[in-house]
Amino acid sequence: TKGHQKWAKRKGTPRPNHLSRSGKDNPEASTQSADQQAVLAAIASLQAELSQAKSDICTKIDDVSTVLRGEIAAVKAESDNAFITVHARLDGQNDTRKSLVESANANSDVVADLEAKVKALQSQVDQLSEKCLDLEGRSKRQNLRIAGVKEGLENGQKTRDFVAQLLTDVLQLEEKPVIDRAHRALRVRLGDNELPRHLIIRVHYCHAFEEILKKVMQSRTLTYQGERIQIFRDFPPAVVKRRAAFTPARNLLRDKPGVRFGLVYPAKLRVTHNGKETTFTDAEEARLFAERLFGRDHETPEEEERVTRII
């Protein structure tokens, strides 16, 4: 009927048995009912299997979650302990660094004070050294050295008498100078073929000392018993070293026209060129100055600039 058709469409189910034909009367409907029952049984079995699989999966997930939570908790505990240890070490290192910074600052202040003291002491040492050198030079201001006199020429005479006579004969002095002391240089005597030791003497009177030096400067060559000798002032070793440093410059200036030069005590080179006087305390600057005037062949641009500033 029309009412039955509407009910079937709404419900989506087959017509009730009392409205349909019996299975005996309709074999096709009986087969469809069996198939539907088999499908329903399969669906029920599948639902049971899915429920069991779901249960198994949930159980495994719970087990895994429990294990992971435990491992995560253990890792977290280890990390926390590690962080605590690291923080403790960092705090200790910060304290150590702070202590080192404070110590460095304190040491820096101490070093600065020491540097200032060292500079002051160095200045004092330099002043005292110059004073000692000056005193040594003053103690030797009337001393002379005679080089080239053979060993043994004294022939038993007192060295003072021998030197007085030697100076009188070589320099043609009007009277014998008075000699306070005279002796050979204090070193081991060498063989006869070696250079003889210097004679070191002290002249008693200042005017006699100056006269001897004047005679020496006037005589370009001095000889005694056929041997060339030299007579010069007895300077302290430090002064001798300073004065010797000017030798290259003096060699360049020697015998040059319009040039006069001389060493001023303790070690200053005074040069007069064409009426202009220049004084040098640095031997290198003096050499460059002489090369600028009389020998530019080996002068570098840097040296030329330095000499230009000097001139």
Side-chain angles (χ1 to χ4, degrees):
T1 64
K2 293 181 180 181
H4 177 71
Q5 291 176 353
K6 291 179 181 180
W7 181 88
K9 288 181 180 180
R10 288 198 308 270
K11 300 297 182 177
T13 58
R15 184 179 179 182
N17 291 333
H18 67 275
L19 297 177
S20 63
R21 297 177 182 177
S22 63
K24 293 179 180 180
D25 296 334
N26 190 359
E28 184 178 354
S30 179
T31 301
Q32 290 179 352
S33 178
D35 292 340
Q36 289 177 355
Q37 291 178 358
V39 170
L40 291 174
I43 290 172
S45 175
L46 181 60
Q47 287 178 347
E49 291 179 0
L50 289 175
S51 297
Q52 184 63 37
K54 179 181 178 182
S55 177
D56 294 340
I57 291 172
C58 289
T59 302
K60 290 184 179 179
I61 289 174
D62 292 339
D63 295 339
V64 172
S65 298
T66 303
V67 173
L68 289 176
R69 288 191 187 98
E71 292 181 355
I72 290 172
V75 171
K76 182 180 179 182
E78 292 179 359
S79 300
D80 291 340
N81 293 332
F83 280 125
I84 292 172
T85 304
V86 169
H87 282 303
R89 290 182 179 178
L90 288 176
D91 292 339
Q93 290 179 355
N94 287 333
D95 294 339
T96 303
R97 183 183 63 82
K98 183 177 179 181
S99 176
L100 290 174
V101 170
E102 292 176 354
S103 299
N105 291 334
N107 290 333
S108 177
D109 295 337
V110 172
V111 169
D113 293 339
L114 290 176
E115 287 180 349
K117 291 180 180 178
V118 167
K119 288 182 180 179
L121 290 175
Q122 184 63 47
S123 177
Q124 293 180 7
V125 168
D126 293 340
Q127 293 177 2
L128 292 175
S129 298
E130 290 298 325
K131 287 184 179 180
C132 289
L133 184 61
D134 181 67
L135 291 174
E136 185 180 3
R138 290 177 184 275
S139 68
K140 292 173 173 284
R141 60 184 175 182
Q142 289 180 209
N143 284 14
L144 291 174
R145 281 181 177 256
I146 305 176
V149 179
K150 290 184 178 181
E151 303 269 358
L153 291 182
E154 296 87 337
N155 291 326
Q157 299 182 68
K158 291 182 178 181
T159 308
R160 290 183 301 171
D161 298 336
F162 170 76
V163 170
Q165 187 62 47
L166 181 149
L167 292 174
T168 303
D169 295 341
V170 171
L171 301 177
Q172 298 179 357
L173 301 176
E174 296 180 358
E175 58 180 358
K176 283 186 180 182
V178 178
I179 306 298
D180 290 337
R181 294 186 303 273
H183 59 85
R184 292 278 182 176
L186 301 178
R187 62 178 177 83
V188 179
R189 179 177 178 177
L190 303 177
D192 294 336
N193 295 328
E194 302 293 335
L195 290 176
R197 293 175 296 173
H198 290 183
L199 283 167
I200 303 174
I201 66 172
R202 177 178 176 81
V203 181
H204 182 74
Y205 294 109
C206 182
H207 68 274
F209 176 80
E210 293 175 353
E211 183 181 0
I212 291 171
L213 288 179
K214 183 178 179 181
K215 293 280 188 180
V216 169
M217 293 175 63
Q218 292 175 351
S219 304
R220 301 185 66 87
T221 303
L222 300 175
T223 58
Y224 180 73
Q225 295 188 0
E227 297 290 337
R228 182 177 178 180
I229 65 173
Q230 292 178 314
I231 301 174
F232 47 87
R233 295 183 62 178
D234 180 31
F235 293 117
V239 174
V240 173
K241 186 177 180 180
R242 293 184 190 178
R243 295 169 75 92
F246 287 99
T247 300
R250 294 168 63 193
N251 291 336
L252 290 171
L253 296 173
R254 185 172 286 112
D255 298 330
K256 295 298 187 296
V259 176
R260 295 174 55 195
F261 67 92
L263 283 172
V264 181
Y265 188 84
K268 295 180 182 179
L269 181 65
R270 181 186 297 164
V271 181
T272 303
H273 179 247
N274 294 333
K276 182 180 179 180
E277 183 177 295
T278 308
T279 302
F280 298 94
T281 57
D282 189 332
E284 182 65 16
E285 290 185 358
R287 182 186 66 82
L288 294 175
F289 175 81
E291 288 184 354
R292 173 76 174 183
L293 294 178
F294 304 108
R296 304 183 186 182
D297 295 339
H298 305 289
E299 187 175 309
T300 64
E302 292 79 4
E303 292 177 343
E304 183 175 354
E305 182 180 356
R306 287 180 58 189
V307 175
T308 303
R309 291 199 303 266
I310 296 170
I311 297 177

